[in-house]
Amino acid sequence: MRRTVYINGSFVPEDEAKVSVFDRGFLFADGVYEVTAVLDGRLVDFDSHVDRLNRSLTGLGMTMDLNYAALLDLHRRLVSRNGLREGVVYLQVTRGEADRDFHYPVGVAQTLVMFTQEKHFSTETVKGLSVISVPDLRWQRRDIKTVQLLAASMAKMAAKEAGKDDAWLVEDGHVTEGTSSNAYIVTNDGTIVTRNLSTSILPGTTRAAVLRLATEQQLKIDERPFTLQEAQQAAEAFITSATAFVTPVVEIDGMAVADGRPGQIVGRLREIYIEESRKTAV
Ligand code: PLP
């Protein structure tokens, strides 16, 4: 099926949507993006996505022309036009089209594109992931969700070539995050450990929701960096993201996490998160 995509004010068939070769997103990776999950045709954690989009834009000295209500309306219209029940909405804003120059152009209209991708979260079997560790080669403002994803792409390829599902990124002996997810372990006393927010990681929308739900469940949380060795010796390990929700990690660099099967806490968090998301989606 030919999808309908949104580009700069219009909904058009996907093969008619075109962006200039002079677009700064293409030439400089000068743009940011969001990926919002859709469950039952509604948007999950939408407020968090809009907040982060605005923070990312601010980080690059841009502001969004559209407010919350306009963005919600566009997301809903795109979902409806594509008859999407389950999947994601991808949104990308770039600084726009200008003659190639490192300095930011003045008075240029931003490029805004949005498209949907179908994904069957609720019927997918959740298998535990095997991950490898790779050095974190990304830049130092990982809190900004820019479209410069080559280091993440290289890490995912390294995992694929090693026959594994994904990679965890390591810096100074500590795990920063997954290639496109936040990373967690559960210690033997049941404490959920995940790296504290800083410019070293992306503040995940799912992370925020899951930590809130874990707190409501009276689970202990420790936001701090953890080492790979700690992760390999943990009781459980998992990742969160808008596309993976809460997904167990069962093997790290060839070593099984605990008995090599998805843990109980991660299973519970996944269920609670999906249940809550269905209730609160807009
Ligand atoms: N960290 C990185 C590097 C990511 O790319 C992502 C999502 O794409 C996340 C964390 C998780 O963020 P969210 O839960 O908002 O999807």
Side-chain angles (χ1 to χ4, degrees), residues 117-138:
Q117 280 181 327
E118 211 172 306
K119 194 168 158 37
H120 298 282
F121 306 111
S122 60
T123 49
E124 261 170 17
T125 7
V126 187
K127 71 171 190 91
L129 304 177
S130 55
V131 301
I132 57 164
S133 64
V134 299
D136 194 338
L137 301 178
R138 299 171 302 162

PDB file of all heavy atoms in Angstrom, residues 117-138:
ATOM      1  N   GLN A 117       4.779   3.995  10.108  1.00  0.00           N
ATOM      2  CA  GLN A 117       5.287   2.641   9.841  1.00  0.00           C
ATOM      3  C   GLN A 117       4.440   1.684  10.659  1.00  0.00           C
ATOM      4  O   GLN A 117       4.240   1.919  11.855  1.00  0.00           O
ATOM      5  CB  GLN A 117       6.757   2.516  10.266  1.00  0.00           C
ATOM      6  CG  GLN A 117       7.720   3.086   9.240  1.00  0.00           C
ATOM      7  CD  GLN A 117       9.175   2.938   9.656  1.00  0.00           C
ATOM      8  OE1 GLN A 117       9.513   2.994  10.843  1.00  0.00           O
ATOM      9  NE2 GLN A 117      10.052   2.782   8.693  1.00  0.00           N
ATOM     10  N   GLU A 118       3.948   0.642  10.005  1.00  0.00           N
ATOM     11  CA  GLU A 118       3.146  -0.334  10.726  1.00  0.00           C
ATOM     12  C   GLU A 118       4.063  -1.262  11.520  1.00  0.00           C
ATOM     13  O   GLU A 118       5.148  -1.602  11.043  1.00  0.00           O
ATOM     14  CB  GLU A 118       2.370  -1.154   9.683  1.00  0.00           C
ATOM     15  CG  GLU A 118       1.047  -1.636  10.189  1.00  0.00           C
ATOM     16  CD  GLU A 118       0.237  -2.274   9.074  1.00  0.00           C
ATOM     17  OE1 GLU A 118       0.030  -1.622   8.025  1.00  0.00           O
ATOM     18  OE2 GLU A 118      -0.140  -3.431   9.263  1.00  0.00           O
ATOM     19  N   LYS A 119       3.670  -1.608  12.722  1.00  0.00           N
ATOM     20  CA  LYS A 119       4.464  -2.522  13.546  1.00  0.00           C
ATOM     21  C   LYS A 119       3.478  -3.201  14.487  1.00  0.00           C
ATOM     22  O   LYS A 119       2.587  -2.518  15.013  1.00  0.00           O
ATOM     23  CB  LYS A 119       5.499  -1.706  14.334  1.00  0.00           C
ATOM     24  CG  LYS A 119       6.595  -2.525  14.972  1.00  0.00           C
ATOM     25  CD  LYS A 119       7.712  -1.616  15.473  1.00  0.00           C
ATOM     26  CE  LYS A 119       8.594  -2.183  16.544  1.00  0.00           C
ATOM     27  NZ  LYS A 119       8.995  -3.536  16.593  1.00  0.00           N
ATOM     28  N   HIS A 120       3.608  -4.516  14.635  1.00  0.00           N
ATOM     29  CA  HIS A 120       2.597  -5.209  15.443  1.00  0.00           C
ATOM     30  C   HIS A 120       3.144  -5.528  16.825  1.00  0.00           C
ATOM     31  O   HIS A 120       3.509  -6.651  17.123  1.00  0.00           O
ATOM     32  CB  HIS A 120       2.101  -6.449  14.697  1.00  0.00           C
ATOM     33  CG  HIS A 120       1.449  -6.073  13.408  1.00  0.00           C
ATOM     34  ND1 HIS A 120       0.173  -5.565  13.349  1.00  0.00           N
ATOM     35  CD2 HIS A 120       1.929  -6.033  12.139  1.00  0.00           C
ATOM     36  CE1 HIS A 120      -0.123  -5.256  12.089  1.00  0.00           C
ATOM     37  NE2 HIS A 120       0.938  -5.529  11.339  1.00  0.00           N
ATOM     38  N   PHE A 121       3.182  -4.478  17.648  1.00  0.00           N
ATOM     39  CA  PHE A 121       3.752  -4.617  18.994  1.00  0.00           C
ATOM     40  C   PHE A 121       3.022  -5.674  19.817  1.00  0.00           C
ATOM     41  O   PHE A 121       3.627  -6.506  20.449  1.00  0.00           O
ATOM     42  CB  PHE A 121       3.603  -3.321  19.796  1.00  0.00           C
ATOM     43  CG  PHE A 121       4.129  -2.085  19.164  1.00  0.00           C
ATOM     44  CD1 PHE A 121       3.257  -1.091  18.737  1.00  0.00           C
ATOM     45  CD2 PHE A 121       5.481  -1.867  19.029  1.00  0.00           C
ATOM     46  CE1 PHE A 121       3.738   0.077  18.194  1.00  0.00           C
ATOM     47  CE2 PHE A 121       5.963  -0.701  18.490  1.00  0.00           C
ATOM     48  CZ  PHE A 121       5.092   0.272  18.071  1.00  0.00           C
ATOM     49  N   SER A 122       1.679  -5.590  19.804  1.00  0.00           N
ATOM     50  CA  SER A 122       0.926  -6.370  20.789  1.00  0.00           C
ATOM     51  C   SER A 122       0.920  -7.865  20.456  1.00  0.00           C
ATOM     52  O   SER A 122       0.758  -8.682  21.355  1.00  0.00           O
ATOM     53  CB  SER A 122      -0.490  -5.831  20.930  1.00  0.00           C
ATOM     54  OG  SER A 122      -1.142  -5.904  19.702  1.00  0.00           O
ATOM     55  N   THR A 123       1.106  -8.220  19.179  1.00  0.00           N
ATOM     56  CA  THR A 123       1.065  -9.644  18.835  1.00  0.00           C
ATOM     57  C   THR A 123       2.464 -10.248  18.685  1.00  0.00           C
ATOM     58  O   THR A 123       2.612 -11.447  18.513  1.00  0.00           O
ATOM     59  CB  THR A 123       0.286  -9.841  17.515  1.00  0.00           C
ATOM     60  OG1 THR A 123       0.794  -8.921  16.552  1.00  0.00           O
ATOM     61  CG2 THR A 123      -1.201  -9.623  17.706  1.00  0.00           C
ATOM     62  N   GLU A 124       3.497  -9.358  18.747  1.00  0.00           N
ATOM     63  CA  GLU A 124       4.873  -9.863  18.630  1.00  0.00           C
ATOM     64  C   GLU A 124       5.243 -10.710  19.848  1.00  0.00           C
ATOM     65  O   GLU A 124       4.925 -10.336  20.969  1.00  0.00           O
ATOM     66  CB  GLU A 124       5.847  -8.667  18.627  1.00  0.00           C
ATOM     67  CG  GLU A 124       6.302  -8.282  17.255  1.00  0.00           C
ATOM     68  CD  GLU A 124       7.062  -6.958  17.272  1.00  0.00           C
ATOM     69  OE1 GLU A 124       7.501  -6.510  18.346  1.00  0.00           O
ATOM     70  OE2 GLU A 124       7.192  -6.393  16.180  1.00  0.00           O
ATOM     71  N   THR A 125       5.953 -11.824  19.617  1.00  0.00           N
ATOM     72  CA  THR A 125       6.449 -12.560  20.780  1.00  0.00           C
ATOM     73  C   THR A 125       7.679 -11.803  21.285  1.00  0.00           C
ATOM     74  O   THR A 125       8.526 -11.388  20.485  1.00  0.00           O
ATOM     75  CB  THR A 125       6.912 -13.994  20.400  1.00  0.00           C
ATOM     76  OG1 THR A 125       6.859 -14.121  18.992  1.00  0.00           O
ATOM     77  CG2 THR A 125       6.147 -15.047  21.099  1.00  0.00           C
ATOM     78  N   VAL A 126       7.726 -11.636  22.590  1.00  0.00           N
ATOM     79  CA  VAL A 126       8.863 -10.921  23.147  1.00  0.00           C
ATOM     80  C   VAL A 126       9.949 -11.915  23.480  1.00  0.00           C
ATOM     81  O   VAL A 126       9.819 -12.708  24.403  1.00  0.00           O
ATOM     82  CB  VAL A 126       8.467 -10.188  24.438  1.00  0.00           C
ATOM     83  CG1 VAL A 126       9.594  -9.313  24.925  1.00  0.00           C
ATOM     84  CG2 VAL A 126       7.237  -9.382  24.193  1.00  0.00           C
ATOM     85  N   LYS A 127      10.998 -11.852  22.684  1.00  0.00           N
ATOM     86  CA  LYS A 127      12.108 -12.755  23.016  1.00  0.00           C
ATOM     87  C   LYS A 127      13.189 -11.896  23.667  1.00  0.00           C
ATOM     88  O   LYS A 127      13.273 -10.695  23.420  1.00  0.00           O
ATOM     89  CB  LYS A 127      12.612 -13.482  21.777  1.00  0.00           C
ATOM     90  CG  LYS A 127      13.353 -12.615  20.784  1.00  0.00           C
ATOM     91  CD  LYS A 127      13.980 -13.510  19.725  1.00  0.00           C
ATOM     92  CE  LYS A 127      14.944 -12.737  18.842  1.00  0.00           C
ATOM     93  NZ  LYS A 127      16.324 -12.688  19.228  1.00  0.00           N
ATOM     94  N   GLY A 128      13.976 -12.526  24.501  1.00  0.00           N
ATOM     95  CA  GLY A 128      15.063 -11.776  25.116  1.00  0.00           C
ATOM     96  C   GLY A 128      16.133 -11.489  24.074  1.00  0.00           C
ATOM     97  O   GLY A 128      16.404 -12.326  23.208  1.00  0.00           O
ATOM     98  N   LEU A 129      16.698 -10.309  24.163  1.00  0.00           N
ATOM     99  CA  LEU A 129      17.707  -9.907  23.180  1.00  0.00           C
ATOM    100  C   LEU A 129      19.104 -10.317  23.622  1.00  0.00           C
ATOM    101  O   LEU A 129      19.425 -10.311  24.814  1.00  0.00           O
ATOM    102  CB  LEU A 129      17.699  -8.385  23.011  1.00  0.00           C
ATOM    103  CG  LEU A 129      16.375  -7.722  22.631  1.00  0.00           C
ATOM    104  CD1 LEU A 129      16.553  -6.209  22.592  1.00  0.00           C
ATOM    105  CD2 LEU A 129      15.888  -8.233  21.288  1.00  0.00           C
ATOM    106  N   SER A 130      19.933 -10.630  22.627  1.00  0.00           N
ATOM    107  CA  SER A 130      21.359 -10.803  22.904  1.00  0.00           C
ATOM    108  C   SER A 130      22.052  -9.539  22.394  1.00  0.00           C
ATOM    109  O   SER A 130      21.761  -9.070  21.285  1.00  0.00           O
ATOM    110  CB  SER A 130      21.908 -12.036  22.186  1.00  0.00           C
ATOM    111  OG  SER A 130      21.636 -11.948  20.807  1.00  0.00           O
ATOM    112  N   VAL A 131      22.903  -8.965  23.230  1.00  0.00           N
ATOM    113  CA  VAL A 131      23.594  -7.741  22.808  1.00  0.00           C
ATOM    114  C   VAL A 131      25.111  -7.917  22.898  1.00  0.00           C
ATOM    115  O   VAL A 131      25.606  -8.740  23.682  1.00  0.00           O
ATOM    116  CB  VAL A 131      23.167  -6.504  23.653  1.00  0.00           C
ATOM    117  CG1 VAL A 131      21.674  -6.258  23.543  1.00  0.00           C
ATOM    118  CG2 VAL A 131      23.584  -6.629  25.114  1.00  0.00           C
ATOM    119  N   ILE A 132      25.800  -7.143  22.072  1.00  0.00           N
ATOM    120  CA  ILE A 132      27.255  -7.059  22.221  1.00  0.00           C
ATOM    121  C   ILE A 132      27.552  -5.648  22.745  1.00  0.00           C
ATOM    122  O   ILE A 132      26.712  -4.752  22.628  1.00  0.00           O
ATOM    123  CB  ILE A 132      28.007  -7.284  20.883  1.00  0.00           C
ATOM    124  CG1 ILE A 132      27.539  -6.277  19.798  1.00  0.00           C
ATOM    125  CG2 ILE A 132      27.844  -8.698  20.401  1.00  0.00           C
ATOM    126  CD1 ILE A 132      28.474  -6.177  18.610  1.00  0.00           C
ATOM    127  N   SER A 133      28.730  -5.462  23.287  1.00  0.00           N
ATOM    128  CA  SER A 133      29.115  -4.105  23.694  1.00  0.00           C
ATOM    129  C   SER A 133      30.035  -3.536  22.625  1.00  0.00           C
ATOM    130  O   SER A 133      30.842  -4.268  22.038  1.00  0.00           O
ATOM    131  CB  SER A 133      29.827  -4.140  25.042  1.00  0.00           C
ATOM    132  OG  SER A 133      31.036  -4.862  24.929  1.00  0.00           O
ATOM    133  N   VAL A 134      29.875  -2.260  22.354  1.00  0.00           N
ATOM    134  CA  VAL A 134      30.777  -1.572  21.427  1.00  0.00           C
ATOM    135  C   VAL A 134      31.099  -0.200  22.018  1.00  0.00           C
ATOM    136  O   VAL A 134      30.307   0.341  22.801  1.00  0.00           O
ATOM    137  CB  VAL A 134      30.165  -1.398  20.005  1.00  0.00           C
ATOM    138  CG1 VAL A 134      29.859  -2.724  19.354  1.00  0.00           C
ATOM    139  CG2 VAL A 134      28.929  -0.531  20.037  1.00  0.00           C
ATOM    140  N   PRO A 135      32.246   0.382  21.666  1.00  0.00           N
ATOM    141  CA  PRO A 135      32.552   1.717  22.177  1.00  0.00           C
ATOM    142  C   PRO A 135      31.517   2.726  21.676  1.00  0.00           C
ATOM    143  O   PRO A 135      31.048   2.614  20.543  1.00  0.00           O
ATOM    144  CB  PRO A 135      33.930   2.019  21.565  1.00  0.00           C
ATOM    145  CG  PRO A 135      34.468   0.712  21.119  1.00  0.00           C
ATOM    146  CD  PRO A 135      33.304  -0.169  20.823  1.00  0.00           C
ATOM    147  N   ASP A 136      31.160   3.656  22.539  1.00  0.00           N
ATOM    148  CA  ASP A 136      30.184   4.687  22.163  1.00  0.00           C
ATOM    149  C   ASP A 136      30.907   5.767  21.362  1.00  0.00           C
ATOM    150  O   ASP A 136      31.668   6.567  21.922  1.00  0.00           O
ATOM    151  CB  ASP A 136      29.538   5.282  23.423  1.00  0.00           C
ATOM    152  CG  ASP A 136      28.297   6.082  23.089  1.00  0.00           C
ATOM    153  OD1 ASP A 136      28.168   6.517  21.923  1.00  0.00           O
ATOM    154  OD2 ASP A 136      27.457   6.258  23.986  1.00  0.00           O
ATOM    155  N   LEU A 137      30.708   5.758  20.053  1.00  0.00           N
ATOM    156  CA  LEU A 137      31.439   6.683  19.172  1.00  0.00           C
ATOM    157  C   LEU A 137      30.663   7.966  18.884  1.00  0.00           C
ATOM    158  O   LEU A 137      31.085   8.766  18.059  1.00  0.00           O
ATOM    159  CB  LEU A 137      31.742   5.990  17.830  1.00  0.00           C
ATOM    160  CG  LEU A 137      32.570   4.711  17.895  1.00  0.00           C
ATOM    161  CD1 LEU A 137      32.744   4.111  16.495  1.00  0.00           C
ATOM    162  CD2 LEU A 137      33.949   4.993  18.504  1.00  0.00           C
ATOM    163  N   ARG A 138      29.530   8.162  19.560  1.00  0.00           N
ATOM    164  CA  ARG A 138      28.677   9.306  19.207  1.00  0.00           C
ATOM    165  C   ARG A 138      29.218  10.622  19.748  1.00  0.00           C
ATOM    166  O   ARG A 138      30.116  10.645  20.572  1.00  0.00           O
ATOM    167  CB  ARG A 138      27.258   9.062  19.740  1.00  0.00           C
ATOM    168  CG  ARG A 138      26.615   7.814  19.147  1.00  0.00           C
ATOM    169  CD  ARG A 138      25.317   7.487  19.837  1.00  0.00           C
ATOM    170  NE  ARG A 138      25.497   7.297  21.264  1.00  0.00           N
ATOM    171  CZ  ARG A 138      24.519   7.347  22.151  1.00  0.00           C
ATOM    172  NH1 ARG A 138      23.293   7.556  21.760  1.00  0.00           N
ATOM    173  NH2 ARG A 138      24.767   7.159  23.441  1.00  0.00           N
TER     174      ARG A 138
END
